[in-house]
């Protein structure tokens, strides 16, 4: 192309100036914080010898490398294979057929697009054609019936498919990276090297035909099943993963629970399960006859009572085996008509020439061509195991659900309670189960694992723990409760007896509880109305009976669990009326029940049930001497699969410094399933921030003698180790920005601690069948070789096996010693106002979890107001409207307690 004269006449730009050697580039704003290193270990407390479920791992060679390869699978026509589950079978065939071409090397395949070897393969690019028998083909023959019949008639060999496997070199990972990390050195390749080892365990479990859920493995053994009702089983399995510790590389093996539909999976259980059920819990459906499963799932006795619309939703995507062919299929739905009425076109053969198709019912087809009369299924739908435009119908009685199928729906409260009850294992029982799992795994027999030079110990690791003394506490005088009322939605509750027992128990506990001003009963005519109508009518009756909104309302719900009145009632009281409320649904009232109820009422009415002595004496190291605010942060997500429901983030903060027992909450909605909190700092104008931190800092300033905190201690829950950098560089950065927004010259010191309950480390006493004593702390041997972490069992464990909380100290600008910090964390486990003893995790985190959970329950998101508030922010997050503003009389209370 020729240039125009005008273009050619333009002068070229001058060359860039030479950069002087002394030039220092300006640092771009932003942070790159990493978790802090350990400064030392604690010394306080009585020493105690313990065992832990970490098994020492030895690596015989450090000079080898793991070689990583990308693997791709293609059909015969060259199109890529997208379906999961094909890779292992195809690669097993490659290893069997092309062992010499692979250099005789075994490999570890991650189940997706990557495989690893010890040492290199013969080439950087390899390609292999493979012929694999297709054992689970669902192809349809004769327009509506499984091809099992045609296969029998023609005696064709089992269908096979041709694949092409392409393997290409990606990178290599030095095994030396593991040793470097164990010495406390920074090693970017450590996580990749340990990932290879974890992939080896997954592949080994896959070859043992285990159900694999990340690093948890479940065997199809009836001895492992726990029936929890509704066609759902809990399946005992084990978790297995490699960990870098101060004592070297270890294999952490823990008991895992799996729910099967009577097979199914709940990714992450509620905190209700934390003490008794391991968090890698998956549900599975009960294997066996489909009809039997539906009867149990719907809690009916006869097939005629089954709700087939509900059954269709429940069965979709489950896998079955059909008889008499023993072929496997995936359910896509149900037939529109019953087995006796559903027809399809069947092509007939007349010698070698096909004749016209005839219409035949599924029932008559099986009677004529299989000599099977499916009388039990005749009047009910068939299972559809074909494709949307090409259905394949099989009668119900000829189908059985396969084992180890994950069930992804939420458990009912009764199922949760049953699971907790049946999953409890005493420490000695758990130890025996762990040793049994390790022996059954038989890692030493795997040639690929052996090729890495790994040897795994079969004995528990011995560690030294310390038992911290419990902090001294005393009981504060309870608040006098006046101007309160009872509303009763239940027709079965003995109101007079409840009022009498409540006053008697409160008097015995030193609590001045006046008699209720009035009891407002629900009109019987509204008991079948919707929850919102029932609540509105109750409020109308209350306004007629009372001179004004009561300060406190005791609400008696009609059902013990999952009452649909709970949410609308909480919202009405906390948002509209400005009344603090406690909901109960008593089945059996005793003094213990009433004592727990009074603890909640007193806390909500600004009372303190117990106070730390050192809190009262202003003797908490570094906290009582310097204005300090303590944050607890958590995010609550909707049920698995509910992407239409926002996540709820909550931050609570201490108030009335130098006390650390009372907290204030700020809550937001945000995008579904997002773990990082995005509402901490929200400037909407040069002088206005609507973020959560501003609210909490202003409350601290007003609740103290107008002091700004010089120390900020942050406890974060619900994040994994891979998200630590995000906590430090995203969330902490927002908190710092919120402080600077309020006062540019203000520079508080920060401490960030992550608390984890979703891990598999347990501790056992060496010569005792009991749990470790409350206050047991471990900060050596099984902790990280470089970073600052420790395990704490603050709570008493009378049943099951105690789960410690794993605390990770990511940042400490304040300067706590190891003993000071560990005693502070231990003390914060005693300030939970709903309990008179220590709980398993620090109270601020529990409060954040409660606040997020309660706001999520009392708001119906489709009815949320679009209005903004200083409590909840003005901008919608992730497409969801923000939460409504709490009434001024309730927002500063511990409404969540």
């Amino acid at each position: 192309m020729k240039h125009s004269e005008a273009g050619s006449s333009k002068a070229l730009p001058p060359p860039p100036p030479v950069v002087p050697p002394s030039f220092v580039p300006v640092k771009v704003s932003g942070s790159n914080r990493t978790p802090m290193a350990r400064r030392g270990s604690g010394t306080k407390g009585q020493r105690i010898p313990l065992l832990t479920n970490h098994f020492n791992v030895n690596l015989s060679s450090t000079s080898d490398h793991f070689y990583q390869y990308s693997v791709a699978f293609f059909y015969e026509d060259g199109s890529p294979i997208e379906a999961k589950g094909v890779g292992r079978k195809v690669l097993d065939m490659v290893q069997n057929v092309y062992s010499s071409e692979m250099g005789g090397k075994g490999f570890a395949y991650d189940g997706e697009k990557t495989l690893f070897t010890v040492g290199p393969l013969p080439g950087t690019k390899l390609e292999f054609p493979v012929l694999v028998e297709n054992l689970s083909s669902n192809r349809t023959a004769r327009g509506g019936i499984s091809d099992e019949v045609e296969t029998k008639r023609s005696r064709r060999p089992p269908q096979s498919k041709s694949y092409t496997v392409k393997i290409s070199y990606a990178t290599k990972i030095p095994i030396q990276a593991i040793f470097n990390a164990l010495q406390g050195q920074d090693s970017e390749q450590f996580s990749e090297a340990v990932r290879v080892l974890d992939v080896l365990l997954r592949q080994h479990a896959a070859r043992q035909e285990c159900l694999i859920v990340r690093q948890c493995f479940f065997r199809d053994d009836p001895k492992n099943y726990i029936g929890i009702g509704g066609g759902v089983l809990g399946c005992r399995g084990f978790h297995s993963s490699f960990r870098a510790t101060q004592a070297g590389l270890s294999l952490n093996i823990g008991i895992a629970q799996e729910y099967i539909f009577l097979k199914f999976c709940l990714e992450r259980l509620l905190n209700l399960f934390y003490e008794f059920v391991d968090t890698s819990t998956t549900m599975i459906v009960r294997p066996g006859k489909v009809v039997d499963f539906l009867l149990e799932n719907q809690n009916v006795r006869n097939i005629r009572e089954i709700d087939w619309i509900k059954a269709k939703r429940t069965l979709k995507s489950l896998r079955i085996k059909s008889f008499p062919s023993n072929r496997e299929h995936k359910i896509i739905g149900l037939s529109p008509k019953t087995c006796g009425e559903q027809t399809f076109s069947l092509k007939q053969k007349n010698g070698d020439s096909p004749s016209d198709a005839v219409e035949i019912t599924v029932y008559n087809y099986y009677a004529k061509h299989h000599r099977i009369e499916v009388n039990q299924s005749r009047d009910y739908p068939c299972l559809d195991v074909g494709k949307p435009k090409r259905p394949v119908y099989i009668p119900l009685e000829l189908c059985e659900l396969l084992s180890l199928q994950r069930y992804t729906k939420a458990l009912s409260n009764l199922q949760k309670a049953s699971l907790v009850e049946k999953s409890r294992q005493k420490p000695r029982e758990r130890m025996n189960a762990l040793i049994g799992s390790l022996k059954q795994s038989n890692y030493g027999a795997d040639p690929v694992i052996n090729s890495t030079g790994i040897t795994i110990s079969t004995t528990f690791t011995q560690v030294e723990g310390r038992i911290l003394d419990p902090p001294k506490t005393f009981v504060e005088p309870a608040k006098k409760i006046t101007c309160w009322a009872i509303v009763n939605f239940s027709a079965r509750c003995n109101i007079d007896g409840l009022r009498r027992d409540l006053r008697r128990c409160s008097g015995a506990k030193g609590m001045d509880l006046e008699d209720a001003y009035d009891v407002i009963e629900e009109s019987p005519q509204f008991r079948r109305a919707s929850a919102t109508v029932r609540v509105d009518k109750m409020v109308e009756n209350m306004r007629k009976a009372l001179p004004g909104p009561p300060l406190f309302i005791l609400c008696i719900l009609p059902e013990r669990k999952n009452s649909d009145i709970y949410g609308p009632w909480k919202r009405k009281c906390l948002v509209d009326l400005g009344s603090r409320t406690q909901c109960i649904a008593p089945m059996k009232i005793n003094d213990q029940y009433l004592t727990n109820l009074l603890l909640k009422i007193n806390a909500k009415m600004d009372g303190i049930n117990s106070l730390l002595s050192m809190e009262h004496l202003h003797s908490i190291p570094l906290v009582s001497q310097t204005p300090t605010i303590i944050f607890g942060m958590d995010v609550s997500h909707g049920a698995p699969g509910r992407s239409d429901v926002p996540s709820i983030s909550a931050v609570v903060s201490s108030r009335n410094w130098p006390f650390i027992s009372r907290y204030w909450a700020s809550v937001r909605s945000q995008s579904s399933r997002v773990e990082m909190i995005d509402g901490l700092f929200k400037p909407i104008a040069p002088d206005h921030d609507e973020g959560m931190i501003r609210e909490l800092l202003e409350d601290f300033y007003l609740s103290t003698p107008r002091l700004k905190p010089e120390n900020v201690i942050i406890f974060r829950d619900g994040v994994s180790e891979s998200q630590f950098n995000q906590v430090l560089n995203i969330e902490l950065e927002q908190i710092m920005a919120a402080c600077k927004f309020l006062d540019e010259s203000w520079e508080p010191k920060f401490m960030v601690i992550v608390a984890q309950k979703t891990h598999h480390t347990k501790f056992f006493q060496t010569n005792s069948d009991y749990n470790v004593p409350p206050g047991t702390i471990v900060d050596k041997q099984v902790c990280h070789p470089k970073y600052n972490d420790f395990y704490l069992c603050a709570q008493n464990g009378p049943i099951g096996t105690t789960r410690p909380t794993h605390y990770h100290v990511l940042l400490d600008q304040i300067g706590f010693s190891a003993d000071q910090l560990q005693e502070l964390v231990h003390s914060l486990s005693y300030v939970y106002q709903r309990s008179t003893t220590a709980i398993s995790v620090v109270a601020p985190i529990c409060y954040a979890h409660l606040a997020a959970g309660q706001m999520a329950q009392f708001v119906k998101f489709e009815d949320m107001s679009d209005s903004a508030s200083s409590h909840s922010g003005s901008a919608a997050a992730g497409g969801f409207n923000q939460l409504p503003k709490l009434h001024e009389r309730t927002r500063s209370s511990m409404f969540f307690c």
Side-chain angles (χ1 to χ4, degrees):
M1 175 181 283
K2 293 182 179 181
H3 295 285
S4 66
E5 291 184 5
S8 62
S9 64
K10 290 182 179 179
L12 294 173
V18 178
V19 179
S22 60
F23 173 76
V24 178
V26 178
K27 185 177 180 181
V28 178
S29 61
S31 61
N32 188 25
R33 302 182 188 90
T34 57
M36 65 175 287
R38 186 186 307 277
R39 294 174 180 167
S41 299
T43 58
K44 290 188 176 180
Q46 177 187 348
R47 283 169 170 72
I48 179 174
L50 302 171
L51 298 174
T52 184
N53 56 334
H54 286 245
F55 299 85
N56 290 329
V57 176
N58 290 320
L59 280 169
S60 61
S61 174
T62 63
S63 58
D64 288 335
H65 287 74
F66 293 126
Y67 280 72
Q68 178 177 328
Y69 294 86
S70 298
V71 58
F73 305 95
F74 300 89
Y75 290 111
E76 193 173 10
D77 61 3
S79 59
I81 298 176
E82 302 295 341
K84 293 184 177 181
V86 176
R88 292 195 189 277
K89 184 194 296 185
V90 174
L91 284 177
D92 284 345
M93 186 63 69
V94 169
Q95 192 167 28
N96 292 335
V97 177
Y98 299 103
S99 177
S100 59
E101 288 83 349
M102 296 277 287
K105 287 190 175 294
F107 53 79
Y109 173 56
D110 72 349
E112 294 183 2
K113 297 181 179 180
T114 307
L115 61 82
F116 303 93
T117 63
V118 180
L121 294 175
T124 58
K125 290 185 180 293
L126 301 172
E127 184 173 327
F128 304 105
V130 182
L131 187 67
V132 180
E133 182 179 331
N134 186 11
L135 299 177
S136 58
S137 172
N138 281 346
R139 291 183 61 190
T140 305
R142 303 294 184 239
I145 292 294
S146 162
D147 63 343
E148 59 199 48
V149 181
E150 285 302 304
T151 301
K152 266 189 170 183
R153 287 180 177 177
S154 61
R155 290 179 168 79
R156 292 182 298 180
Q159 188 181 13
S160 298
K161 282 189 176 181
S162 295
Y163 302 95
T164 299
V165 181
K166 294 182 180 180
I167 301 173
S168 56
Y169 170 78
T171 187
K172 64 179 180 179
I173 305 162
I175 296 179
Q176 181 66 38
I178 297 176
F179 290 88
N180 293 342
L182 295 176
Q183 299 301 317
Q185 303 175 24
D186 287 324
S187 177
E188 295 180 358
Q189 295 179 306
F190 167 74
S191 58
E192 286 83 356
V194 170
R195 179 193 168 210
V196 177
L197 299 181
D198 286 338
V199 168
L200 285 170
L201 300 185
R202 288 169 57 86
Q203 177 170 278
H204 181 75
R207 288 176 174 169
Q208 292 186 334
E209 298 185 348
C210 293
L211 170 65
I212 301 174
V213 184
R214 294 179 297 277
Q215 288 300 127
C216 299
F217 314 125
F218 304 88
R219 293 188 172 89
D220 185 14
D221 186 343
K223 293 185 295 184
N224 297 332
Y225 292 165
I226 303 170
I228 60 174
V232 182
L233 299 178
C235 178
R236 282 201 176 102
F238 67 99
H239 164 92
S240 186
S241 64
F242 290 94
R243 305 283 298 178
T245 70
Q246 293 153 311
L249 190 67
S250 72
L251 180 64
N252 179 211
I253 296 182
I255 298 298
Q257 299 293 333
E258 180 82 15
Y259 306 93
I260 339 187
F261 217 176
L262 264 137
K263 302 173 191 203
F264 100 63
C265 164
L266 191 59
E267 293 291 343
R268 180 183 173 192
L269 290 179
L270 298 177
N271 282 351
L272 171 67
F273 299 142
Y274 272 169
E275 294 309 313
F276 309 113
V277 182
D278 283 88
T279 49
S280 55
T281 303
T282 297
M283 314 303 160
I284 58 178
V285 289
R286 184 184 299 278
K289 292 287 187 181
V290 172
V291 172
D292 294 341
F293 165 71
L294 291 175
L295 293 175
E296 184 173 359
N297 180 254
Q298 299 191 16
N299 194 27
V300 295
R301 296 183 178 182
N302 194 291
I303 191 174
R304 291 190 296 271
E305 302 175 50
I306 291 177
D307 180 342
W308 292 105
I309 296 177
K310 181 179 178 181
K312 181 178 179 180
R313 293 195 303 266
T314 303
L315 293 174
K316 188 174 181 179
S317 299
L318 293 178
R319 291 175 291 115
I320 53 104
K321 179 186 288 185
S322 63
F323 297 94
S325 67
N326 286 332
R327 295 177 67 85
E328 294 182 10
H329 308 272
K330 180 179 178 181
I331 301 172
I332 69 165
L334 300 177
S335 60
K337 300 179 180 179
T338 66
C339 180
E341 298 173 342
Q342 184 65 54
T343 62
F344 66 96
S345 297
L346 178 65
K347 293 183 179 180
Q348 300 284 341
K349 275 193 175 181
N350 186 9
D352 293 332
S353 60
S355 59
D356 294 336
V358 297
E359 290 291 311
I360 188 172
T361 66
V362 176
Y363 178 87
N364 290 335
Y365 175 84
Y366 273 88
K368 181 177 179 180
H369 296 283
H370 281 277
R371 295 185 176 87
I372 298 175
E373 293 188 1
V374 286
N375 293 321
Q376 296 178 21
S377 308
R378 180 170 187 163
D379 299 325
Y380 306 103
C382 301
L383 297 183
D384 184 356
V385 298
K387 295 181 179 180
K389 294 185 178 180
R390 196 176 184 185
V392 175
Y393 301 126
I394 304 178
L396 281 170
E397 65 190 80
L398 301 182
C399 301
E400 287 189 356
L401 289 167
L402 297 175
S403 59
L404 295 181
Q405 294 193 73
R406 300 172 66 192
Y407 179 81
T408 56
K409 298 175 179 61
L411 294 180
S412 68
N413 282 326
L414 290 177
Q415 288 173 321
K416 293 173 187 175
S418 176
L419 179 68
V420 170
E421 178 68 30
K422 296 179 180 180
S423 297
R424 294 170 181 162
Q425 283 184 309
K426 294 180 180 180
R428 189 61 57 181
E429 294 173 349
R430 187 171 291 267
M431 292 178 71
N432 293 335
L434 291 170
I435 291 294
S437 296
L438 183 59
K439 289 181 178 178
Q440 194 172 8
S441 297
N442 195 18
Y443 291 125
D446 190 303
V448 184
I449 293 178
N450 288 336
S451 68
T452 65
I454 285 178
T455 55
I456 301 172
S457 172
T458 57
T459 58
F460 288 86
T461 298
Q462 296 183 359
V463 298
E464 181 183 80
R466 293 174 289 115
I467 305 173
L468 301 180
D469 293 331
K472 294 180 180 179
T473 60
F474 67 91
V475 178
E476 279 273 284
K479 287 282 184 179
K480 183 176 182 179
I481 310 297
T482 62
C483 190
W484 70 286
I486 299 175
V487 298
N488 184 22
F489 288 96
S490 174
R492 297 172 295 189
C493 182
N494 179 1
I495 294 294
D496 293 336
L498 175 63
R499 294 174 69 177
R500 180 183 63 251
D501 292 341
L502 199 57
R503 293 205 65 197
R504 173 184 57 79
C505 191
S506 65
K509 301 298 180 183
M511 184 175 177
D512 190 357
L513 179 71
E514 292 187 353
D515 194 17
Y517 185 88
D518 201 354
V519 177
I520 297 91
E521 298 280 356
E522 182 181 32
S523 301
Q525 60 184 348
F526 297 116
R527 284 182 182 151
R528 293 186 179 274
S530 66
T532 52
V533 169
R534 295 177 72 179
V535 168
D536 289 341
K537 293 297 181 182
M538 180 66 80
V539 171
E540 286 181 16
N541 294 341
M542 188 172 63
R543 283 172 172 159
K544 293 175 182 177
L546 303 176
L551 298 178
F552 173 75
I553 304 172
L554 181 64
C555 176
I556 303 171
L557 299 175
E559 297 94 13
R560 182 164 178 258
K561 299 290 185 180
N562 286 341
S563 173
D564 56 359
I565 291 175
Y566 179 85
W569 175 256
K570 282 285 185 178
R571 175 169 179 162
K572 181 66 71 173
C573 289
L574 297 177
V575 176
D576 298 336
L577 300 178
S579 298
R580 306 172 197 194
T581 182
Q582 175 65 45
C583 295
I584 62 172
M587 298 292 290
K588 180 180 179 182
I589 298 177
N590 53 32
D591 283 357
Q592 183 61 55
Y593 181 93
L594 294 173
T595 298
N596 293 337
L597 175 61
L598 290 169
L599 288 175
K600 295 181 180 181
I601 294 173
N602 189 48
K604 289 180 177 180
M605 298 303 292
D606 300 330
I608 296 291
N609 295 318
S610 62
L611 197 69
L612 298 175
S613 294
M614 59 180 177
E615 182 182 5
H616 179 71
L617 298 174
H618 302 176
S619 60
I620 304 174
L622 301 183
V623 173
S624 297
Q625 295 78 23
T626 307
T628 301
I629 188 171
I630 300 175
F631 289 141
M633 300 166 52
D634 193 21
V635 179
S636 175
H637 304 293
R642 290 295 308 274
S643 59
D644 58 323
V645 175
S647 295
I648 305 296
S649 57
V651 183
V652 302
S653 65
S654 59
R655 56 204 313 256
N656 303 112
W657 177 84
F659 297 103
I660 59 172
S661 292
R662 288 204 58 79
Y663 290 82
W664 196 84
S666 179
V667 189
R668 299 285 192 280
S669 64
Q670 61 184 45
S671 298
S672 180
R673 318 305 297 181
V674 173
E675 185 59 48
M676 290 297 110
I677 301 176
D678 65 2
L680 299 173
F681 178 52
K682 291 290 184 183
I684 62 172
D687 59 348
H688 187 56
D689 167 26
E690 288 200 344
M692 307 163 80
I693 297 301
R694 176 197 60 81
E695 298 175 22
L696 301 172
L697 292 174
E698 288 181 351
D699 174 75
F700 181 90
Y701 183 78
L702 295 174
S703 66
T704 57
R706 295 189 174 274
L707 294 173
K708 290 181 290 188
E710 296 180 27
N711 295 334
V712 179
I713 300 175
I714 303 165
F715 287 96
R716 181 65 160 94
D717 187 30
V719 294
S720 64
E721 294 177 24
S722 64
Q723 296 171 311
F724 286 176
N725 286 345
Q726 295 180 59
V727 172
L728 286 172
N729 297 302
I730 298 176
E731 291 186 340
L732 178 59
E733 195 70 16
Q734 288 187 62
I735 296 172
M736 289 179 168
C739 294
K740 285 290 185 182
F741 195 86
L742 289 173
D743 185 348
E744 185 66 31
S745 63
W746 181 27
E747 294 186 355
K749 296 178 180 179
F750 291 89
M751 167 172 270
V752 180
I753 303 173
V754 170
Q756 290 182 333
K757 294 289 288 182
T758 54
H759 62 85
H760 295 270
T761 296
K762 296 290 179 73
F763 297 105
F764 309 91
Q765 297 195 61
T766 53
N767 298 311
S768 174
D769 292 337
Y770 295 101
N771 274 310
V772 297
T776 297
I777 192 166
V778 176
D779 63 355
K780 295 180 180 178
Q781 294 162 285
V782 292
C783 294
H784 197 277
K786 177 182 178 181
Y787 300 125
N788 191 357
D789 65 328
F790 59 90
Y791 294 90
L792 175 62
C793 292
Q795 76 280 22
N796 183 32
I799 51 179
T801 303
T802 301
R803 179 195 298 278
T805 299
H806 193 184
Y807 291 98
H808 301 261
V809 185
L810 305 188
L811 177 70
D812 180 13
Q813 298 175 342
I814 301 173
F816 282 91
S817 69
D819 282 323
Q820 288 173 336
L821 175 59
Q822 291 169 8
E823 287 196 318
L824 174 64
V825 171
H826 186 218
S827 298
L828 284 170
S829 303
Y830 280 82
V831 300
Y832 187 57
Q833 298 303 306
R834 294 171 66 166
S835 173
T836 56
T837 59
I839 57 174
S840 62
V841 70
V842 291
I845 281 180
C846 268
Y847 289 145
H849 181 80
L850 289 173
Q854 186 161 132
M855 294 293 280
Q857 289 186 56
F858 86 67
V859 173
K860 288 188 175 181
F861 292 97
E862 65 272 19
D863 297 331
M864 284 172 57
S865 171
D866 291 331
S867 61
S869 71
S870 62
H871 174 78
S872 55
S874 60
F880 297 105
N881 292 326
Q882 281 294 341
L883 304 177
K885 178 181 178 180
L886 297 185
H887 196 283
E888 61 181 7
R889 289 200 298 267
T890 57
R891 79 173 71 171
S892 62
S893 71
M894 293 178 65
F895 66 89
F896 45 83
C897 196

